[in-house]
């Protein structure tokens, strides 16, 4: 099985994809350890600050040493240059807020999973034409579960994951799965600014276990 298929299977099995960025490398590492301790085996660090690449390398080193079964991806990748830098640093998959065919083609050559962000049927079609096995519905808070319900028959068999519009409660999570997504992205609703700035690792551990339980109940 290729790395692409292994990571896709991990996301489908987990049913959720946590994601975050924080400038401090040590806090980023502790968040990663906490997610892993709670049962997360695939998550997305996001390229949203000057320290992202350096921090990612720290996380990757820790993952290889202590968390070998964790799949560590990188998000907010918009250019080929960014994709190249993070794949060279060991990214297991690439997530984008946009559809950049150049990024998709390069990621495919590396036999890695590319998850582009789409908000229109045309973007979804373009992403499919460039090998997107999993498509991010983004921004999901604007589009809502009804969008997925409305377009899923147009793209039979396509896997979708919403990001930016999923709340940490069973009603929100269930509504997305009923609409037809295969997993839900969880950013600041799980790993909040308060958790990051105040190092609330015990709270994050508890909330992550709750999230995983709610995903199981919602599917």
């Amino acid at each position: 099985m290729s790395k692409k298929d292994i990571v896709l299977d991990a996301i489908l099995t987990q049913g959720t994809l946590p994601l975050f960025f924080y400038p401090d490398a040590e806090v980023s590492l502790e968040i990663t350890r906490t997610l892993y301790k709670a049962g997360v085996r695939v998550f997305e660090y996001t390229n949203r600050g000057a320290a992202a690449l350096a921090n990612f390398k720290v996380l990757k080193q820790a993952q290889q040493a202590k968390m070998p079964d964790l799949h560590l991806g990188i998000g907010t990748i918009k250019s080929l240059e960014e994709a190249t830098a993070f794949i060279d640093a060991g990214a297991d998959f690439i997530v984008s807020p946009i559809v950049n065919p150049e990024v998709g083609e390069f990621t495919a050559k590396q036999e890695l999973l590319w998850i582009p962000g789409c908000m229109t049927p045309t973007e979804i079609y373009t992403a499919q034409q460039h090998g997107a096995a999993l498509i991010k519905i983004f921004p999901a808070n604007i589009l809502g579960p009804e969008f997925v319900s409305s377009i899923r028959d147009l793209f039979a068999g396509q896997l979708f994951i919403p990001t930016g519009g999923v709340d940490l409660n069973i009603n929100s999570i269930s509504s997305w799965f009923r609409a037809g997504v295969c997993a839900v992205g969880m950013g600041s609703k799980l790993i909040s600014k308060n958790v990051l700035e105040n190092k609330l690792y015990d709270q994050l551990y508890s909330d992550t276990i709750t999230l995983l339980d709610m995903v199981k109940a919602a599917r």
Side-chain angles (χ1 to χ4, degrees):
M1 188 181 290
S2 69
K3 171 64 77 66
K4 175 182 177 179
D5 291 335
I6 290 170
V7 171
L8 179 59
D9 184 66
I11 294 172
L12 297 180
T13 299
Q14 189 167 280
T16 184
L17 186 64
L19 57 123
F20 80 99
F21 167 76
Y22 196 65
D24 185 280
E26 186 57 36
V27 171
S28 294
L29 183 55
E30 285 304 316
I31 293 291
T32 301
R33 287 170 174 159
T34 301
L35 292 171
Y36 184 81
K37 179 183 175 184
V40 167
R41 292 299 178 267
V42 53
F43 88 91
E44 169 194 342
Y45 197 64
T46 55
N47 179 32
R48 295 195 176 184
L53 182 56
N55 288 358
F56 185 87
K57 291 177 180 178
V58 171
L59 301 186
K60 189 66 184 181
Q61 187 174 40
Q63 175 260 321
Q64 291 178 317
K66 300 291 186 179
M67 300 170 279
D69 57 340
L70 176 66
H71 304 292
L72 178 59
I74 184 68
T76 321
I77 297 299
K78 295 177 286 186
S79 70
L80 178 59
E81 291 75 20
E82 291 170 339
T84 301
F86 280 95
I87 288 175
D88 285 348
D92 292 317
F93 60 99
I94 297 291
V95 184
S96 302
I98 61 171
V99 181
N100 181 339
E102 197 175 33
V103 171
E105 290 163 8
F106 177 74
T107 306
K109 287 179 181 177
Q110 312 304 311
E111 297 187 341
L112 298 178
L113 180 66
W114 172 55
I115 310 173
C118 299
M119 70 176 298
T120 69
T122 298
E123 289 175 349
I124 293 169
Y125 178 78
T126 302
Q128 287 184 323
Q129 295 304 108
H130 292 88
L134 177 58
I135 288 173
K136 177 169 73 167
I137 299 300
F138 178 78
N141 59 311
I142 302 298
L143 297 168
E146 296 81 4
F147 175 77
V148 177
S149 298
S150 298
I151 57 90
R152 67 181 182 182
D153 288 343
L154 295 174
F155 303 102
Q158 178 63 57
L159 299 173
F160 295 107
I161 178 171
T163 299
V166 185
D167 294 323
L168 189 59
N169 64 67
I170 190 65
N171 290 333
S172 177
I173 292 170
S174 294
S175 70
W176 282 105
F177 279 106
R178 284 196 303 269
V181 304
C182 67
V184 291
M186 291 295 298
S188 61
K189 298 296 177 67
L190 175 67
I191 310 166
S192 66
K193 183 178 179 181
N194 185 44
V195 165
L196 291 164
E197 292 184 348
N198 294 296
K199 304 178 182 179
L200 303 179
Y201 305 128
D202 288 343
Q203 178 184 317
L204 176 60
Y205 175 77
S206 176
D207 287 347
T208 302
I209 290 176
T210 298
L211 168 64
L212 295 173
D213 287 343
M214 286 192 293
V215 166
K216 290 177 183 177
R219 293 202 283 186

